[in-house]
Amino acid sequence: MLHTLAVLVENNPGVLIRVAGLFTRRGYNIDSLTVCQTEDPELSRMTIVVNGDDQIIEQVRNQLSKLVVVQSVADLSGQSVVDRELALIRVQVSPETRSAVLQTVDIFRGRVVDMGRTNITVELTGDIPKIDAFVHAIQPYGLLELVRTGKVAILRSEA
């Protein structure tokens, strides 16, 4: 099962390698990793997506919490969150397929950010299943290149 961990860390050089090294030493693969400075310039937030059962995730959380540079670790899995990913996708087009590709982009509420004679580049934001569905829908036209940011997530506000 995929788990999304929100890790608040000191905003210092070398912190990313220390956190990633913990996963490497344990033999766990990181499916997605995003890092950015928070509203406090002395802290960064890592959103880490890792595959594992509850026992493995608990072990990872405990190991992360032991690192001096880590302020807090939260497993957002199973909680009410807003999550998004950004993808840039270059798709092959011809005069015959251009309108069908553009229609698919419109259906998924994507945005064309670059257009050439033989390809277009689409910007798409959404949850992981939406990005995956778009990639699947566009593949028959010729998927030339795909770049994804990785998941970012935040708890939903209380009603």
Side-chain angles (χ1 to χ4, degrees):
M1 176 179 172
L2 288 177
H3 288 262
T4 303
L5 302 176
V7 184
L8 203 57
V9 299
E10 293 175 5
N11 187 14
N12 295 322
V15 172
L16 175 60
I17 195 72
R18 290 187 69 191
V19 171
L22 182 143
F23 284 86
T24 301
R25 286 188 303 276
R26 295 278 181 204
Y28 302 137
N29 187 43
I30 296 173
D31 287 63
S32 168
L33 172 66
T34 58
V35 183
C36 67
Q37 181 178 306
T38 66
E39 64 284 352
D40 179 350
E42 295 189 9
L43 296 175
S44 289
R45 179 185 167 124
M46 295 183 173
T47 305
I48 305 170
V49 178
V50 62
N51 196 356
D53 60 28
D54 291 339
Q55 182 182 359
I56 289 173
I57 299 307
E58 187 59 31
Q59 186 178 27
V60 167
R61 286 182 63 193
N62 290 336
Q63 292 298 316
L64 283 170
S65 295
K66 290 179 183 178
L67 293 176
V68 174
V69 295
V70 173
Q71 300 290 318
S72 67
V73 181
D75 186 354
L76 302 180
S77 308
Q79 297 190 51
S80 183
V81 297
V82 177
D83 62 0
R84 296 290 183 268
E85 184 171 320
L86 168 68
L88 295 174
I89 304 131
R90 187 171 319 149
V91 183
Q92 185 173 338
V93 294
S94 66
E96 297 81 24
T97 63
R98 183 179 300 270
S99 65
V101 169
L102 291 174
Q103 188 174 28
T104 304
V105 170
D106 190 50
I107 289 168
F108 281 87
R109 293 189 175 106
R111 190 169 71 111
V112 174
V113 294
D114 186 47
M115 187 177 290
R117 287 185 302 109
T118 60
N119 63 72
I120 63 170
T121 301
V122 177
E123 173 188 296
L124 188 64
T125 305
D127 58 18
I128 291 171
K130 176 184 175 181
I131 306 281
D132 290 344
F134 178 79
V135 169
H136 180 73
I138 214 78
Q139 277 181 329
Y141 299 106
L143 179 63
L144 298 174
E145 192 171 0
L146 170 65
V147 181
R148 295 171 81 152
T149 60
K151 181 190 218 180
V152 292
I154 193 167
L155 288 172
R156 286 195 179 274
S157 301
E158 293 181 20

